[in-house]
């Protein structure tokens, strides 16, 4: 199985941008669903966006549509999350997950069977 490793988190002011990266070795061996999730202090984990390597289909949470974009570079074994127009409510620990799948995976699916990264912190100030 792939082992996601996230990077790129940091602290920014509202309205700023960040790009998160997730290294996922072996993702070209078969079709995979990949996703980004986040968890703020004292809150449940929230799905941000998912994508499927089979055709690049995406599924975004309403709260990030038009601001965030996921992309997959299978040749480089890397998944990106471009985050623009950041808001304080975007603050949280961001996790990358991946699992093999013959079909696309909605971001609201149960992702617990996936392989997860260690997380990277994103903090957005007012």
């Amino acid at each position: 199985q792939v082992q996601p490793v996230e990077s790129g988190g940091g602290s920014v002011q509202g309205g700023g941008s960040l790009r998160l990266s997730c290294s996922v070795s072996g993702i070209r061996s078969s079709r995979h669903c990949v996703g980004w999730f986040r968890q703020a202090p004292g809150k449940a984990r929230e799905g941000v966006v998912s994508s499927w390597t089979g055709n690049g289909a995406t599924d975004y949470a309403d709260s990030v549509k038009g601001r965030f974009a996921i992309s997959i570079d299978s040749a480089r074994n890397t998944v990106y999350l471009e985050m623009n127009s950041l808001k304080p409510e975007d603050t949280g620990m961001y996790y990358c997950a991946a699992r093999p799948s013959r079909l696309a995976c909605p971001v609201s699916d149960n992702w617990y069977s996936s392989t997860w990264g260690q997380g990277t912190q994103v903090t957005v100030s007012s």
Side-chain angles (χ1 to χ4, degrees):
Q1 288 190 322
V2 300
Q3 176 57 63
V5 179
E6 303 99 331
S7 62
S11 299
V12 299
Q13 291 186 317
S17 299
L18 284 172
R19 187 181 72 173
L20 307 183
S21 299
C22 177
S23 296
V24 283
S25 62
I27 199 169
R28 292 196 298 174
S29 63
S30 61
R31 294 174 178 177
H32 282 72
C33 286
V34 297
W36 287 94
F37 304 80
R38 66 189 182 188
Q39 187 169 21
K43 297 181 64 177
R45 189 181 66 193
E46 173 188 22
V48 177
V49 61
S50 64
S51 187
W52 185 50
T53 62
N55 65 0
T58 58
D59 184 26
Y60 289 89
D62 288 341
S63 60
V64 305
K65 286 181 179 177
R67 299 190 299 119
F68 290 12
I70 189 172
S71 61
I72 303 173
D73 188 338
S74 295
R76 298 173 67 90
N77 292 318
T78 304
V79 181
Y80 301 99
L81 181 65
E82 182 71 32
M83 305 186 295
N84 302 306
S85 301
L86 283 162
K87 306 173 181 179
E89 51 263 45
D90 294 318
T91 294
M93 185 71 72
Y94 281 69
Y95 300 91
C96 177
R99 71 176 193 257
S101 179
R102 297 176 179 85
L103 298 172
C105 311
V107 71
S108 60
D109 270 359
N110 184 348
W111 287 71
Y112 288 106
S113 63
S114 305
T115 302
W116 292 80
Q118 81 289 346
T120 185
Q121 178 67 37
V122 172
T123 302
V124 185
S125 61
S126 300

